[in-house]
Amino acid sequence: MIGLGYRRDFADEFISGSNIKPDFVEFAPENWIGIGGYWKKQLDKVAEKYPILCHGLSLSIGSPDPLDFGFLKELKAFLDRYKVQIYSEHLSYSKCDNAHLYDLLPIPFREDAVKHIVERIKTVQDYLERPFVMENVSYYTPVAAQISEPEFISAIVEQSGCRLLLDVNNVYVNAFNHNYDAKQFINSLPLDKVAYIHMAGHFQVADDLIIDTHGEAIIDPVFDLFEYTTERIKPVPVLLERDFNIPEMNELQGELDRLKSITNLKWSNKHELIA
Amino acid sequence: MNLSPETHSIQSQLARYCRDGILTELSGARAERLPQYRRLVFNIIQDNIESAYPIAFKYLEKEIWNVLVYDFFSTHECQSYQVWKLPKEFMEFVVENNYQEKYQLPFLNDLLGFEWAEMELYNTTDIPYEYGSLNDDIFNGTISFNPEHLILPLKYPVHMVPPAKALELKGNYFVLLFREKETGKIQFVDLSVWYAFLVEQISQNNVTVTELIEYAPQLFGTISIEELKASTEQFIQSMIDKGFVTEIK
Ligand SMILES: [Fe+2]
């Protein structure tokens, strides 16, 4: 399955399905919980036509603040309502000292943070009564790290029992920004736990810095890294994320097709795994 | 608590920096990269507030606008987990801290209130309702309105004219906003105090137009009941035409 992130700009195209044909769509529950009116009708039409995967924004699993059970309650009802097959979130924090920040901040790669997050993931999984998938995020500086990033991610996945959303573009961005080898990094992750893949474009703002914008087409080296990854994992759903600088639908369909041709080649005869 | 006080404090420092932009040393971080976080976070905040308040953003001096946004994000603890509701907290912050007096912008609270009301009603959760027969007696029938509406009292007519003009027209205004069933678009209707009262009473207390008209002299002093009846009939008819009246029975 190759999916595309749903945006209001895409609504009509998704509903008609004539210029773009994703196998599934993904959106953030926070953008839709409690929404009514015109866009709710459009969302429901999209949900009737495609399987839905959700990728959250505000859970803030790495936050020092307590979990927000009011939010989790609304989230659970929403995931049930739209029969969401995979709910994923970011291995980051977006709320701190009782204030939401609405963006993804890097968690210190530390043992105490691992313990803290593992406990929280277990709580969320129990509460939502569905498997939970955590994504490796892009980050622009490490913060007070005591262990390596793959050690951090692996420990959380192994100890919490959650699955991994492997964002291949984020690996590429981080490898570039922090000077490490992307393939080696991928090899050091618990690849048997990968349940979902994200692919996206990014923007290089300086000689030594790439920002994960989701505003450009996927570049060839990221496609190569994707191919490398598909050789090492079981078939899983793959999502194209495009949030800004939206091109013509046939361009996006071209990217979906290219992803599909890679997965067809690498994953033929294998059954796709759905978390 | 698994998180050490040290890790907690490092996380707080980064979050604080993203909110106020005041760079302090953060252990084990690349100082030259930290401004990216401040920039990315603050862009999201600015974009959301600007797009919710296009008129206020256009009208206010850039410097003043920036102060409001900065003060808000650096001192207010944003509570909504949904970023689209952030502008509501911004409006409440501006009202509570009385920036309209501080910067001598007496229409500011009204303008933000009006712009937010439109956005909120546009997005708000659906309230189920149906259209029924509209043939019954306007005066003695039970009138139902589209429940997806609100009435906003204003001191300045920011719903009708640009802020500069609104300043010269201080008074008592009421604007009715309702969401069209099919298109989801928001309609605005300027209401006199009588019609604001009428719509509010009918939708909340299930009373008839006749009952309200009988009550009118107590509210408005000497008035011609006949004229009031005629203009009220016209008003209800216009609200039927606009699709705001859903049933009369
Ligand atoms: Fe992603």
Side-chain angles (χ1 to χ4, degrees):
Chain A
M1 286 212 302
I2 312 291
L4 182 59
Y6 176 64
R7 304 184 51 76
R8 290 181 179 192
D9 324 65
F10 300 163
D12 291 341
E13 296 285 4
F14 272 43
I15 293 162
S16 88
S18 42
N19 295 316
I20 193 104
K21 292 185 181 65
D23 297 326
F24 68 91
V25 300
E26 184 211 81
F27 51 76
E30 289 86 347
N31 291 341
W32 295 102
I33 290 173
I35 293 284
Y38 176 77
W39 291 108
K40 163 77 159 56
K41 283 186 200 157
Q42 299 298 92
L43 181 76
D44 288 350
K45 285 181 202 163
V46 169
E48 258 171 47
K49 203 172 159 111
Y50 302 95
I52 301 293
L53 273 57
C54 274
H55 188 46
L57 295 169
S58 301
L59 180 66
S60 195
I61 200 74
S63 175
D65 288 17
L67 285 167
D68 178 349
F69 282 92
F71 163 61
L72 284 172
K73 188 177 175 200
E74 290 176 28
L75 175 67
K76 188 177 184 183
F78 183 87
L79 298 176
D80 288 344
R81 155 74 182 83
Y82 286 96
K83 302 186 179 66
V84 174
Q85 303 183 17
I86 293 180
Y87 168 60
S88 61
E89 251 284 0
H90 303 87
L91 216 35
S92 67
Y93 71 111
S94 57
K95 186 186 184 202
C96 193
D97 299 325
N98 192 34
H100 282 279
L101 293 134
Y102 310 103
D103 206 357
L104 311 173
L105 303 189
I107 303 165
F109 301 143
R110 294 175 154 217
E111 291 290 355
D112 60 327
V114 169
K115 277 200 194 110
H116 176 64
I117 292 167
V118 163
E119 196 179 286
R120 286 159 69 91
I121 291 176
K122 286 180 175 168
T123 306
V124 172
Q125 282 192 146
D126 287 351
Y127 186 85
L128 294 179
E129 298 178 297
R130 47 172 42 86
F132 185 38
V133 186
M134 295 298 326
E135 179 184 31
N136 61 302
V137 295
S138 45
Y139 61 101
Y140 309 116
T141 171
V143 180
Q146 289 172 341
I147 56 177
S148 73
E149 187 192 355
E151 281 171 328
F152 179 74
I153 296 172
S154 303
I156 288 171
V157 171
E158 302 292 352
Q159 292 171 36
S160 71
C162 75
R163 314 277 182 96
L164 183 61
L165 159 47
L166 180 55
D167 189 313
V168 175
N169 178 59
N170 289 351
V171 173
Y172 181 89
V173 168
N174 290 341
F176 181 90
N177 288 342
H178 309 299
N179 263 316
Y180 60 68
D181 184 84
K183 289 179 178 170
Q184 221 172 27
F185 179 89
I186 285 179
N187 288 333
S188 59
L189 293 175
L191 293 179
D192 57 324
K193 299 285 168 32
V194 174
Y196 189 20
I197 285 189
H198 271 182
M199 288 288 285
H202 55 244
F203 191 68
Q204 185 167 349
V205 294
D207 284 348
D208 63 344
L209 183 64
I210 293 177
I211 301 289
D212 175 28
T213 53
H214 300 175
E216 308 288 326
I218 303 169
I219 61 168
D220 286 343
V222 177
F223 271 115
D224 292 345
L225 198 57
F226 174 67
E227 202 169 326
Y228 179 86
T229 306
T230 54
E231 288 162 0
R232 284 157 181 79
I233 62 167
K234 286 176 284 190
V236 294
V238 177
L239 180 90
L240 171 62
E241 300 183 282
R242 186 66 181 254
D243 297 331
F244 299 100
N245 195 14
I246 309 296
E248 294 296 320
M249 285 299 121
N250 57 5
E251 252 180 71
L252 289 179
Q253 185 61 48
E255 286 186 275
L256 295 179
D257 292 344
R258 189 165 166 190
L259 291 167
K260 190 125 196 171
S261 68
I262 296 171
T263 58
N264 281 347
L265 197 69
K266 302 291 176 185
W267 288 342
S268 55
N269 302 326
K270 288 186 187 169
H271 274 298
E272 193 162 292
L273 182 99
I274 293 237
Chain B
M1 188 71 186
N2 291 311
L3 209 58
S4 73
E6 191 196 35
T7 304
H8 186 154
S9 133
I10 291 166
Q11 291 191 266
S12 291
Q13 281 176 55
L14 177 59
R16 165 101 328 255
Y17 165 61
C18 289
R19 288 175 58 197
D20 63 20
I22 301 166
L23 195 53
T24 50
E25 197 150 322
L26 193 59
S27 76
R30 293 176 63 174
E32 81 283 8
R33 292 275 176 86
L34 287 173
Q36 297 295 341
Y37 280 103
R38 163 65 180 170
R39 179 180 66 80
L40 291 166
V41 168
F42 202 56
N43 277 350
I44 291 173
I45 304 307
Q46 281 176 314
D47 287 353
N48 264 282
I49 297 175
E50 275 173 38
S51 59
Y53 301 113
I55 306 172
F57 176 64
K58 202 173 142 205
Y59 186 80
L60 263 61
E61 279 172 43
K62 197 105 199 100
E63 263 172 49
I64 294 176
W65 179 264
N66 288 344
V67 169
L68 299 188
V69 175
Y70 180 85
D71 286 0
F72 166 70
F73 194 57
S74 57
T75 61
H76 171 77
E77 294 169 351
C78 294
Q79 292 303 296
S80 176
Y81 68 80
Q82 298 182 288
V83 70
W84 78 269
K85 288 183 180 165
L86 172 76
K88 183 186 189 191
E89 295 184 38
F90 173 75
M91 172 189 70
E92 289 163 351
F93 176 85
V94 170
V95 172
E96 261 165 44
N97 291 282
N98 206 7
Y99 284 92
Q100 73 170 12
E101 200 175 300
K102 190 169 168 191
Y103 290 111
Q104 294 170 13
L105 299 163
F107 59 85
L108 184 59
N109 294 350
D110 274 1
L111 182 56
L112 296 180
F114 173 65
E115 293 198 88
W116 175 252
E118 180 184 6
M119 179 148 200
E120 185 165 50
L121 192 59
Y122 183 72
N123 284 314
T124 201
T125 311
D126 295 336
I127 303 173
Y129 68 95
E130 297 296 336
Y131 280 90
S133 159
L134 294 165
N135 299 326
D136 226 309
D137 179 8
I138 284 176
F139 290 101
N140 299 306
T142 303
I143 299 178
S144 300
F145 295 129
N146 172 343
E148 295 177 337
H149 79 264
L150 57 93
I151 295 174
L152 205 63
L154 299 169
K155 288 266 167 275
Y156 297 90
V158 290
H159 58 301
M160 298 196 288
V161 294
K165 181 88 186 136
L167 264 180
E168 301 161 10
L169 299 168
K170 189 175 181 189
N172 287 313
Y173 298 90
F174 297 89
V175 55
L176 166 72
L177 299 91
F178 66 94
R179 186 164 70 183
E180 288 180 356
K181 194 173 178 91
E182 283 314 311
T183 64
K185 287 190 180 131
I186 304 300
Q187 291 250 14
F188 311 103
V189 185
D190 177 62
L191 299 181
S192 68
V193 59
W194 161 244
Y195 295 131
F197 172 75
L198 188 97
V199 171
E200 201 175 78
Q201 291 301 315
I202 289 175
S203 49
Q204 288 174 8
N205 300 328
N206 227 1
V207 288
T208 64
V209 173
T210 299
E211 284 166 332
L212 291 170
I213 285 180
E214 281 166 12
Y215 189 63
Q218 288 181 46
L219 279 179
F220 303 104
T222 349
I223 43 159
S224 153
I225 294 289
E226 281 317 303
E227 271 173 37
L228 192 65
K229 275 180 93 167
S231 60
T232 302
E233 186 171 11
Q234 240 174 38
F235 169 74
I236 299 286
Q237 191 53 53
S238 75
M239 298 316 276
I240 291 173
D241 298 343
K242 286 185 198 300
F244 182 61
V245 177
T246 58
E247 189 170 32
I248 307 175
K249 65 177 180 191

